[in-house]
């Protein structure tokens, strides 16, 4: 009887499948922030980071970038006020993918995951009387995949810095 249980347990271990795609971390720390606009303004709302076949897209709430020094950090909640989306593509993503009016067919989006919770913090300093630098930081961001796996290991705390005039 012990041999049958042992063989049954061994068969169970051998037949287990670890599933399809498993995302353990989202790492964009060493990737520069990009935008489609040649000049960022206080009306700019879409920023992204591309890391080969992955992209992290941040859509800020309208009016959160201001040409004035902030007292501390201004918070925008995700997904309530701002949106953060993580995409995996079938191939390397060119910058113009997000800048074309109609995105190209290739590379294809193989997975898209919207952030379920988190915060975007923005602090603004004056570089001179007309130029302002906005530092964008993410905090406590959590994604839930289509298979109900939670991804909270987001290595992109400092999303980036943009300058407006």
């Amino acid at each position: 009887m012990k041999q049958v249980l042992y063989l049954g347990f061994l068969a169970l271990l051998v037949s287990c499948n670890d599933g399809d795609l498993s995302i353990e971390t989202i790492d964009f720390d060493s990737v520069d922030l990009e935008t489609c606009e040649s000049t960022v303004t206080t009306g700019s709302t879409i920023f992204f980071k591309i890391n080969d076949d992955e992209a992290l897209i941040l859509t800020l709430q309208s009016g959160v970038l201001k040409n004035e020094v902030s007292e501390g950090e201004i918070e925008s909640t995700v997904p309530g006020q701002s949106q953060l989306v993580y995409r995996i593509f079938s191939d390397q993503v060119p910058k113009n993918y997000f800048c074309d009016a109609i995105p190209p067919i290739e590379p294809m989006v193989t997975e898209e995951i919207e952030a379920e919770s988190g915060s975007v913090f923005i602090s603004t300093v004056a570089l001179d009387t007309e130029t302002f630098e906005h530092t964008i930081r993410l905090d406590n961001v959590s994604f839930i995949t289509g298979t109900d796996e939670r991804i909270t290991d987001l290595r992109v705390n400092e999303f980036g810095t943009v300058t407006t005039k």
Side-chain angles (χ1 to χ4, degrees):
M1 183 66 166
K2 285 183 181 180
Q3 290 176 336
V4 172
L5 285 173
Y6 179 72
L7 287 175
F9 180 71
L10 186 60
L12 182 63
L13 284 176
V14 172
S15 67
C16 286
N17 183 349
D18 63 354
D20 293 8
L21 179 64
S22 178
I23 305 164
E24 294 178 10
T25 62
I26 297 175
D27 189 357
F28 285 85
D29 251 357
S30 60
V31 180
D32 292 332
L33 176 140
E34 298 182 54
T35 185
C36 294
E37 301 166 327
S38 57
T39 303
V40 177
T41 68
T42 56
S44 300
T45 58
I46 298 178
F47 303 95
F48 54 90
K49 289 184 157 204
I50 298 173
N51 190 4
D52 294 323
D53 64 346
E54 302 173 295
L56 194 60
I57 306 111
L58 174 64
T59 305
L60 289 176
Q61 74 182 83
S62 180
V64 75
L65 293 180
K66 297 179 181 176
N67 281 342
E68 58 188 48
V69 175
S70 63
E71 293 183 24
E73 294 179 309
I74 297 169
E75 181 179 9
S76 179
T77 60
V78 172
Q81 298 166 321
S82 294
Q83 313 302 329
L84 186 64
V85 177
Y86 171 64
R87 286 186 186 165
I88 301 173
F89 292 85
S90 60
D91 202 356
Q92 191 168 9
V93 183
K95 177 184 176 180
N96 67 337
Y97 180 90
F98 296 103
C99 301
D100 292 344
I102 299 174
I105 294 174
E106 293 289 330
M108 294 183 354
V109 176
T110 59
E111 187 160 6
E112 179 174 291
I113 307 167
E114 291 187 33
E116 295 286 323
S117 64
S119 295
V120 178
F121 290 100
I122 300 169
S123 58
T124 304
V125 295
L127 298 179
D128 57 41
T129 56
E130 295 179 356
T131 310
F132 295 85
E133 184 178 82
H134 312 274
T135 301
I136 303 170
R137 185 175 67 82
L138 304 177
D139 189 46
N140 291 323
V141 173
S142 183
F143 293 91
I144 297 179
T145 68
T147 57
D148 291 331
E149 293 180 56
R150 182 173 298 275
I151 306 168
T152 54
D153 190 358
L154 180 70
R155 295 185 184 158
V156 64
N157 293 330
E158 298 297 325
F159 194 77
T161 302
V162 294
T163 303
T164 59
K165 287 188 177 211

